[in-house]
Amino acid sequence: MKVFIVLAHPEHQSFNGAMFRTAVDVLGAAGHEIKTSDLYALRFDPVSSRTNFLTVKDPDYYKQQTEELYASESYGFADEIEREIQNIEWCDLMIWQFPLWWFGLPGILKGWVDRVFAMGRTYGGDRIYANGVFRGKRAMLSLTTGGPAAAYEKGGFNGDLTAILRPIQRGILQFTGFDVLAPQIVYGPVRLSRPARTQLLEAYAARLQAVTSEQPIDVGSY
Ligand SMILES: Cc1cc2nc3c(=O)[nH]c(=O)nc-3n(C[C@H](O)[C@H](O)[C@H](O)COP(=O)(O)OP(=O)(O)OC[C@H]3O[C@@H](n4cnc5c(N)ncnc54)[C@H](O)[C@@H]3O)c2cc1C
């Protein structure tokens, strides 16, 4: 299996860093091919603009999706975008490792999506959802929170985490054709003892050993 892992955390020694290294080590040791994009290490620019492209369709009025369609037809993506698109096209499984920031993706990862998931190349026309460009591939969110698990249950003070993740799992991953695996969630690692955190890393490693046989989840179409 070919696995592409994206890390969005500014601190290498963070728990997210440990989750990322666990995945790289375990999946690599199991014989899978691994590619990674550590977005902070790459100094990935999350601001979407004409820098996404080598080509110009309309120099007078910048409309991103028009430029994306043109670039898709004419090999016109900037190198840093082309590399990331090729990583997604290459993989069988894509994992995003990130801390939940303001109920969503950290800006660097949201900006990566804004720039890399380009119309024409990654979706467009009727090539969405079940007909999506990336159908047959699987994707998994691996995230940490600050709040405890009880805060993210239905009726908890933050509300249901499944609903919070829906814009990502439905609006980005399923929209472009991915089958979505259950998210790997570590609630409030900073609140836990070191042994408890170690146990959670071991549980993640055990899950990844068997990830090839996992079935996708229903992320809901409400
Ligand atoms: C801008 C912003 C917005 C946020 N919004 C939200 C929000 O909407 N909802 C929410 O719930 N939270 C929110 N948070 C909190 C955030 O989600 C958490 O701080 C984050 O998820 C914790 O993960 P971390 O990797 O940063 O933890 P860290 O603080 O880096 O790590 C936790 C502990 O794990 C230890 N550790 C590292 N490696 C290992 C290892 N190998 N083994 C054992 N222990 C290890 C570290 O030393 C540390 O003590 C927000 C934070 C920010 C900065």
Side-chain angles (χ1 to χ4, degrees), residues 1-81:
M1 183 171 62
K2 295 171 182 159
V3 188
F4 175 41
I5 311 176
V6 181
L7 172 64
H9 198 292
E11 172 56 59
H12 204 60
Q13 301 172 82
S14 64
F15 195 71
N16 273 265
M19 298 278 285
F20 171 74
R21 287 188 293 279
T22 296
V24 170
D25 292 350
V26 167
L27 292 167
H32 302 298
E33 288 179 70
I34 315 282
K35 288 188 180 180
T36 61
S37 285
D38 177 344
L39 299 183
Y40 279 92
L42 287 168
R43 297 182 179 278
F44 187 84
D45 178 2
V47 178
S48 194
S49 70
R50 285 199 188 274
T51 60
N52 300 1
F53 311 103
L54 304 171
T55 48
V56 177
K57 173 72 173 175
D58 184 344
D60 298 322
Y61 190 107
Y62 176 66
K63 187 166 168 56
Q64 180 165 325
Q65 288 171 318
T66 302
E67 297 297 334
E68 287 174 347
L69 285 172
Y70 187 62
S72 296
E73 292 160 5
S74 48
Y75 301 100
F77 291 100
D79 291 350
E80 62 180 340
I81 304 302

Side-chain angles (χ1 to χ4, degrees), residues 9 13-16 18 99-103 144 146-147 152 197:
H9 198 292
Q13 301 172 82
S14 64
F15 195 71
N16 273 265
L100 190 71
W101 279 7
W102 294 115
F103 279 21
T144 59
Y152 284 104
R197 287 193 295 262

Side-chain angles (χ1 to χ4, degrees), residues 142-161:
S142 177
L143 64 140
T144 59
T145 69
Y152 284 104
E153 288 167 3
K154 277 185 190 160
F157 63 79
N158 286 333
D160 183 8
L161 187 56

